[in-house]
Amino acid sequence: MSLPPRFWLRPDARFLPLLLTPLAKVVANCAAKRQQGAGWLAPVPVLCCGNLTIGGTGKTTVVLDLMTRLQAQGIDVHVLTRGYKGRLKGPVRVTPHHTARDVGDEALLLAHQGPTWVGGDRAATAQAAVKSGAQCLIMDDGFQNPTLHKTLSLLVVDGAVGLGNGHVMPAGPLREGITAGLKRASAVLVIGKDQTGFLERYADHLPSKSVYTATLETMVSDLLPNKAGPYIAFAGLGRPSKFFEGLRGAGIQVLKAIAFPDHYRYQSKDMKYLLSLAETHHAELVTTPKDAVRLPNWFRQRVKVVNVALSWDDPSAPENLLHTLMNKPRI
């Protein structure tokens, strides 16, 4: 995925959104029609961690956090993901021999934590996971996918960008209309400071929802012993600046921050360029776990990897959410 158009993130943009409104209405209508139908009802709880916008909001980090908490309760939780940018269509369970080209980077990252399945058909993938012994399913993305019934749907919002300019693609970053999307959400999680006023702007659509807030904590301990730097940081994410800001906020000396498109497949020339920069500036290279799984071993060994952890503002919030999930009556 390439970097999004700048006007998608500008609520004051007028001309291009207006020009693209007819196409946006078509997309919104198609998204609404897709929601007709109940979807397959799994015999185990299904939690969907999704969003309303194109690009990364931190869903995978949320899934990893909730997955860890369920595992601590002795629950055999399996994750379902589409396997974006992977060649395997599934349903297939991710194994150590798979690569990012097979199943996508997010699937590899999730599989390090627990059972993970890739498949475009969410219902068929869920059925395979349940047959394999899953006691709970977490969907990484899939909020707009109607083929699998969700017990709970957690809508994840990046506090820094909110819902962008508030328009549906291609006039803006939304996958569907705001009202329709918020109506289906069981809960909303805003990650980072709410810089766009999302909570206030859409307060009328959230009164009956559970609204949570959290921040991303950069795990600087991953950089020991040379914690401070200097570093050349690079990342191919939906919003790479989030990673760079996290490093600097944690006191890491970042000489250069190089952004690549989301899910970018690094080429030999890219890696040679990064190594050259590091040598020139007598610095080390640092990236994200999601980027690291896309790197060949020879290069990966020369790069530091920094994880991020989700820190809930209300420590009881995730446990309350999971308690509701596991105890909600099956329909």
Side-chain angles (χ1 to χ4, degrees), residues 28-329:
N29 289 336
C30 289
K33 289 180 180 178
R34 284 193 69 198
Q35 297 306 318
Q36 298 174 0
W40 183 65
L41 179 63
V44 300
V46 177
L47 172 62
C48 175
C49 295
N51 61 1
L52 291 180
T53 58
I54 290 292
T57 57
K59 296 185 303 296
T60 300
T61 302
V62 175
V63 171
L64 286 167
D65 179 87
L66 297 177
M67 190 180 187
T68 302
R69 294 173 186 275
L70 286 167
Q71 289 171 334
Q73 298 176 24
I75 298 171
D76 188 2
V77 54
H78 291 214
V79 173
L80 313 180
T81 181
R82 182 169 54 130
Y84 184 70
K85 290 284 187 177
R87 64 180 181 83
L88 300 182
K89 303 306 178 185
V92 61
R93 182 167 176 169
V94 181
T95 65
H97 79 269
H98 285 129
T99 67
R101 289 184 179 273
D102 294 327
V103 297
D105 49 19
E106 291 164 344
L108 289 181
L109 199 59
L110 291 163
H112 288 159
Q113 181 61 40
T116 300
W117 297 77
V118 162
D121 186 329
R122 297 298 181 119
T125 310
Q127 290 166 8
V130 170
K131 187 176 180 180
S132 184
Q135 297 173 317
C136 177
L137 301 174
I138 300 183
M139 299 173 65
D140 183 0
D141 209 356
F143 185 75
Q144 287 77 26
N145 191 304
T147 61
L148 178 61
H149 175 81
K150 291 96 168 170
T151 308
L152 290 180
S153 290
L154 176 64
L155 200 60
V156 183
V157 178
D158 183 342
V161 297
L163 300 183
N165 63 11
H167 294 279
V168 175
M169 298 184 296
L174 296 177
R175 303 180 181 188
E176 61 176 311
I178 295 174
T179 303
L182 291 177
K183 185 177 180 180
R184 295 200 318 280
S186 310
V188 174
L189 171 63
V190 178
I191 300 180
K193 184 179 179 181
D194 182 15
Q195 299 180 33
T196 68
F198 163 81
L199 293 174
E200 181 179 357
R201 183 175 303 170
Y202 301 107
D204 291 343
H205 301 285
L206 304 174
S208 63
K209 312 297 181 188
S210 298
V211 180
Y212 308 118
T213 54
T215 56
L216 293 178
E217 179 183 352
T218 302
M219 308 301 289
V220 293
S221 59
D222 294 339
L223 295 179
L224 294 175
N226 185 23
K227 181 187 295 185
Y231 288 98
I232 305 294
F234 67 96
L237 306 171
R239 195 165 70 82
S241 60
K242 185 161 49 176
F243 173 63
F244 306 143
E245 291 163 3
L247 289 174
R248 293 186 174 113
I252 304 303
Q253 183 186 3
V254 179
L255 294 180
K256 289 184 178 294
I258 303 171
F260 291 91
D262 198 9
H263 304 282
Y264 183 71
R265 288 181 177 172
Y266 293 94
Q267 307 298 311
S268 178
K269 63 178 181 180
D270 302 316
M271 293 178 277
K272 289 179 180 178
Y273 171 66
L274 291 169
L275 287 171
S276 175
L277 275 180
E279 182 178 355
T280 299
H281 294 280
H282 304 289
E284 292 189 78
L285 296 171
V286 62
T287 193
T288 72
K290 183 177 170 182
D291 287 275
V293 298
R294 285 181 262 127
L295 301 176
N297 288 335
W298 70 267
F299 184 63
R300 165 67 182 81
Q301 294 172 0
R302 305 184 65 175
V303 178
K304 296 287 187 180
V305 180
V306 175
N307 286 277
V308 293
L310 193 67
S311 178
W312 298 75
D313 293 344
D314 177 1
S316 67
E319 302 307 329
N320 292 338
L321 176 70
L322 294 178
H323 177 78
T324 301
L325 170 72
M326 298 306 297
N327 291 279
K328 187 173 182 180

Side-chain angles (χ1 to χ4, degrees), residues 14-23:
R14 295 288 183 269
F15 177 70
L16 287 175
L18 181 62
L19 182 67
L20 296 170
T21 292
L23 289 176

